């Protein structure tokens, strides 16, 4: 029985890849550890290379089922659906399709991916190009009867395609697409969206553009983040960052958001557990005071 079977949590919390405190373990072992820690989901990271084979995919699939862990998969970082070079655009299509096919073998429900860069193109031209390419990909997956949901991610650097609006419009215009909302990226991109009211407003916007159902199957990324004028620099742990994650959790609760939270902090399992405890109201009062004194000076 899954350790989570008795909990009626609407939001699942888990890690982006193998928790950093684990050294030299197979992904299936990491999935078991994540379950034993009390977490609920796991994102397979195919970001730098594809290390999966038929055997590891089957092992991952079986372990996740045994432990009640919900899987998603993050596709290659080397995808640019807006590349002006046709060869690179075609290779990007191939990488994304390959990620989706491996996700299905692993039993992962969603594939998260980065759309690419604006390069020399305007945001409007880029949107048109990304949309056209994603439509091609979606139509291939439809023919294959793929059960996997494609999730373009909101991006943290201003050179990257993927503002909230761009991602929501893509999801509205292409059947089968749902967003991956990375709140750290959204925050880092402009240095805004870091309060209860802003989180709530953003979620209302998602509801307005994609319908109520979208809030019942959201895929969220969160980490602490360092940023400057150009946006994201790198991920840090939540407690070292300025991100108001307690207000974020409260907004998700109040808006009855359901789905998956994947933590991408350097110490991802610790931060995922911190978020889950906050969500369930299980943070001990001394811990809570500590976090509040750290993050809410005013
Ligand atoms: Zn990502």
């Amino acid at each position: 029985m899954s350790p989570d079977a008795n909990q009626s949590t609407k939001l699942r919390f888990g890690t982006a890849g193998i928790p950093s405190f684990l050294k030299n373990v197979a992904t299936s072992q990491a999935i078991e550890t994540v379950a034993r820690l009390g977490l609920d989901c796991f994102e397979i990271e195919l970001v730098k290379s594809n290390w999966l084979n038929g055997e590891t995919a089957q092992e991952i699939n079986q372990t996740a089922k045994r432990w009640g862990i919900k899987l998603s998969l993050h596709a290659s970082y080397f995808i640019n659906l807006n590349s002006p070079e046709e060869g690179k655009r075609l290779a990007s299509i191939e990488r994304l399709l390959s990620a989706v096919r491996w996700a299905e073998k692993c039993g992962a429900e969603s594939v998260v991916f980065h759309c690419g860069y604006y390069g020399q193109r305007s945001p409007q031209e880029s949107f048109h190009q990304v949309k056209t390419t994603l439509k091609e990909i979606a139509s291939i997956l439809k023919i294959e009867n793929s059960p996997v949901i494609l999730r373009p991610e909101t991006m943290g650097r201003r050179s990257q395609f993927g503002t909230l609006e761009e991602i929501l419009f893509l999801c509205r215009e292409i059947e089968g697409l749902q967003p991956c909302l990375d709140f750290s990226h959204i925050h880092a991109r402009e240095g805004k969206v870091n309060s209860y009211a802003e989180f709530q407003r953003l979620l209302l916007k998602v509801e307005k553009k994609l319908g109520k159902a979208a809030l019942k199957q959201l895929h969220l990324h969160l980490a602490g983040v360092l940023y400057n004028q150009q946006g994201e620099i790198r991920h840090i742990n939540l407690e070292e960052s300025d991100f108001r994650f307690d207000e974020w959790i409260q907004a998700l609760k109040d808006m009855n958001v359901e789905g998956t939270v994947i933590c991408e902090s350097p110490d991802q399992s610790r931060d995922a557990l911190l978020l889950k405890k906050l969500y369930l109201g299980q943070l001990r009062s001394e811990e809570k005071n500590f976090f509040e004194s750290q993050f809410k000076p005013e």
Side-chain angles (χ1 to χ4, degrees):
M1 190 177 72
S2 109
D4 204 29
N6 293 324
Q7 289 179 11
S8 60
T9 57
K10 293 173 180 173
L11 272 180
R12 291 174 293 270
F13 294 85
T15 62
I18 299 172
S20 52
F21 74 88
L22 292 174
K23 301 273 179 259
N24 301 318
V25 304
T27 292
S28 56
Q29 281 173 273
I31 289 171
E32 179 177 334
T33 304
V34 160
R36 287 183 187 277
L37 285 170
L39 293 167
D40 324 291
C41 49
F42 184 92
E43 194 149 287
I44 303 161
E45 303 276 286
L46 285 198
V47 296
K48 289 178 184 153
S49 65
N50 183 4
W51 45 267
L52 281 167
N53 59 47
E55 202 179 325
T56 49
Q58 201 185 0
E59 241 175 58
I60 287 170
N61 193 327
Q62 288 168 352
T63 309
K65 285 206 173 79
R66 193 176 320 131
W67 288 90
I69 293 291
K70 195 164 174 120
L71 296 175
S72 50
L73 185 147
H74 198 307
S76 170
Y77 285 151
F78 308 106
I79 284 176
N80 187 2
L81 305 177
N82 188 38
S83 177
E85 293 174 57
E86 187 60 2
K88 286 189 179 163
R89 192 185 73 93
L90 293 173
S92 298
I93 294 176
E94 197 40 53
R95 287 192 185 113
L96 188 48
L97 286 172
S98 158
V100 172
R101 290 166 190 151
W102 280 110
E104 190 175 352
K105 290 195 182 83
C106 293
E109 287 187 6
S110 296
V111 165
V112 173
F113 63 97
H114 304 172
C115 292
Y117 296 84
Y118 299 108
Q120 301 302 315
R121 292 195 176 124
S122 70
Q124 290 78 4
E125 286 173 306
S126 301
F127 182 85
H128 177 75
Q129 182 59 59
V130 170
K131 190 176 92 174
T132 306
T133 306
L134 274 175
K135 274 193 167 163
E136 292 169 19
I137 293 169
S139 70
I140 294 170
L141 293 173
K142 198 170 178 183
I143 292 167
E144 292 181 6
N145 272 326
S146 174
V148 177
I149 303 170
L150 281 177
R151 293 190 181 263
E153 180 176 343
T154 56
M155 297 309 300
R157 297 194 186 104
R158 292 185 184 192
S159 56
Q160 292 171 305
F161 180 93
T163 63
L164 176 70
E165 285 69 22
E166 286 164 345
I167 297 302
L168 294 182
F169 272 113
L170 280 179
C171 293
R172 205 154 87 151
E173 296 195 16
I174 303 171
E175 197 192 324
L177 253 66
Q178 289 288 331
C180 169
L181 302 181
D182 186 316
F183 273 79
S184 312
H185 287 165
I186 295 170
H187 170 49
R189 192 168 179 121
E190 308 278 346
K192 296 179 196 154
V193 191
N194 196 21
S195 66
Y196 179 87
E198 288 167 301
F199 299 140
Q200 199 180 40
R201 211 176 305 141
L202 190 151
L203 292 167
L204 284 168
K205 194 185 241 179
V206 175
E207 184 182 281
K208 194 172 160 211
K209 293 260 188 281
L210 303 181
K212 261 194 171 20
L215 293 190
K216 301 296 175 201
Q217 50 168 334
L218 269 189
H219 192 88
L220 305 164
H221 279 177
L222 197 70
V225 64
L226 270 185
Y227 54 94
N228 62 16
Q229 295 274 303
Q230 280 75 46
E232 173 190 14
I233 301 172
R234 63 182 164 87
H235 289 174
I236 53 178
N237 290 326
L238 283 171
E239 59 188 303
E240 295 153 8
S241 76
D242 69 351
F243 193 79
R244 296 182 180 173
F245 53 89
D246 51 344
E247 295 182 33
W248 183 71
I249 285 286
Q250 195 59 47
L252 295 176
K253 275 171 96 162
D254 293 348
M255 294 288 294
N256 285 312
V257 170
E258 297 178 26
T260 298
V261 176
I262 292 294
C263 186
E264 295 187 318
S265 299
D267 193 349
Q268 66 277 66
S269 57
R270 184 183 178 276
D271 274 1
L273 278 169
L274 164 64
L275 292 170
K276 183 170 179 179
K277 280 181 174 183
L278 261 178
Y279 178 71
L280 295 175
Q282 288 176 349
L283 209 57
R284 293 200 308 276
S285 60
E286 65 270 22
E287 286 177 300
K288 207 165 174 223
N289 288 341
F290 170 75
F291 285 120
E292 277 171 3
S293 68
Q294 295 289 302
F295 311 121
K296 282 165 82 180
E298 62 275 321

